[in-house]
Amino acid sequence: MNFDGKVALVTGGGSGIGAATVEALRAGGATVVAADLDGGDLTLDVTDDAAVEAAIAAVVEQHGRLDLAANVAGTSGAHADVVDVGLDAWRHTLSVNLDAVFLCLRAELRAGATSIVNVASSAGRMGVAGMAAYSASKHGVIGLTKSAALEVARSGVRVNCVCPGGTRTPMLAAFVGGDENALEGMGRRTPMGRLGTPAEVAEAIVWLLSDSASFLTGSVVEADGGVAAV
Ligand SMILES: NC(=O)c1ccc[n+]([C@@H]2O[C@H](COP(=O)([O-])OP(=O)(O)OC[C@H]3O[C@@H](n4cnc5c(N)ncnc54)[C@H](O)[C@@H]3O)[C@@H](O)[C@H]2O)c1
């Protein structure tokens, strides 16, 4: 895919799926700013409204424009049954996974971005026992994506969403406490019998960002090895 002359922002670009998205966009010729709490080109806490506004203004000032954005930053968040989840843990998960996607999306649209991809999850398509906050936040990302897409559709701006399934990243490894057997077990339980790679999910994100997906908006693309087909 050719992204020559395009300027892109990737949140969560310091690790996992976000880092793979940065790499794929750069390989296509885009100028990419990776924004992350840790490990990006630009240090950013996506839950901080003023910091998000300032970061996007800085990208526009430095590069003259913002064309593309991938909102990938996220957290696995509170892991407990609903009866046991504390309000602070609930709010933290929703803040990182949903409020921050809203803040970034809003600022990106205001800055003139014309193609934006939000990252939800297969957990945004189904209930997940023990992960209600995560699942609710990702369902929210899908609703946010579709609503924003409708609002801007006639101005030629596209907003889409990718739902990864289990993908080998630091987040998933941390979620299972680094237990390789647990990761392999998760992979075996998917229809394709394996976990995805960050690069495979990034391919879907980058395709949606590109002009190749010019008639897609408000779409939810599953990159999950078949999980949503069950
Ligand atoms: N790995 C999976 O199996 C999987 C499955 C479905 C969805 N996802 C989603 O994919 C996205 C990327 O996850 P990943 O697996 O690559 O994880 P990861 O931990 O490798 O990367 C997530 C990145 O987000 C950053 N981040 C977290 N909070 C932030 C904040 N407040 N401000 C800025 N950056 C912040 C982290 O520093 C990290 O670099 C997340 O939205 C996650 O929910 C992952």
Side-chain angles (χ1 to χ4, degrees), residues 8-15 18-19 22 26 32-36 39-44:
L9 174 73
V10 179
T11 75
S15 175
V22 170
R26 285 189 179 143
V32 187
V33 178
D36 204 302
D41 309 311
L42 180 73
T43 302
L44 172 65

Side-chain angles (χ1 to χ4, degrees), residues 6-214:
K6 301 285 190 191
V7 176
L9 174 73
V10 179
T11 75
S15 175
I17 294 166
T21 303
V22 170
E23 195 178 323
L25 285 168
R26 285 189 179 143
T31 298
V32 187
V33 178
D36 204 302
L37 268 184
D38 198 19
D41 309 311
L42 180 73
T43 302
L44 172 65
D45 178 353
V46 289
T47 66
D48 180 337
D49 187 10
V52 167
E53 294 284 343
I56 289 173
V59 171
V60 172
E61 189 175 322
Q62 190 177 352
H63 300 289
R65 52 195 290 145
L66 178 67
D67 303 294
L68 313 172
N71 297 315
V72 189
T75 178
S76 54
H79 187 208
D81 287 358
V82 170
V83 291
D84 297 319
V85 176
L87 184 56
D88 287 349
W90 173 271
R91 283 184 171 149
H92 176 70
T93 308
L94 272 288
S95 169
V96 176
N97 288 355
L98 180 56
D99 297 357
V101 176
F102 154 68
L103 293 175
C104 292
L105 175 62
R106 185 177 65 174
E108 292 152 3
L109 288 170
R110 287 174 176 170
T114 53
S115 182
I116 300 170
V117 171
N118 298 321
V119 171
S121 169
S122 51
R125 299 293 237 171
M126 63 188 79
V128 184
M131 294 198 72
Y134 185 79
S135 177
S137 70
K138 296 299 189 177
H139 276 79
V141 170
I142 293 171
L144 170 64
T145 301
K146 290 181 175 182
S147 302
L150 292 174
E151 290 168 5
V152 299
R154 292 207 178 235
S155 53
V157 177
R158 298 184 300 106
V159 187
N160 289 293
C161 182
V162 167
C163 288
T167 308
R168 272 194 182 269
T169 67
M171 177 190 289
L172 196 65
F175 181 70
V176 297
D179 182 346
E180 182 58 32
N181 287 333
L183 287 174
E184 282 176 15
M186 289 174 85
R188 277 195 299 276
R189 288 192 294 279
T190 71
M192 286 182 73
R194 66 174 178 86
L195 295 174
T197 67
E200 288 177 308
V201 178
E203 282 292 330
I205 296 170
V206 165
W207 177 72
L208 280 171
L209 286 174
S210 79
D211 292 343
S212 299
S214 55

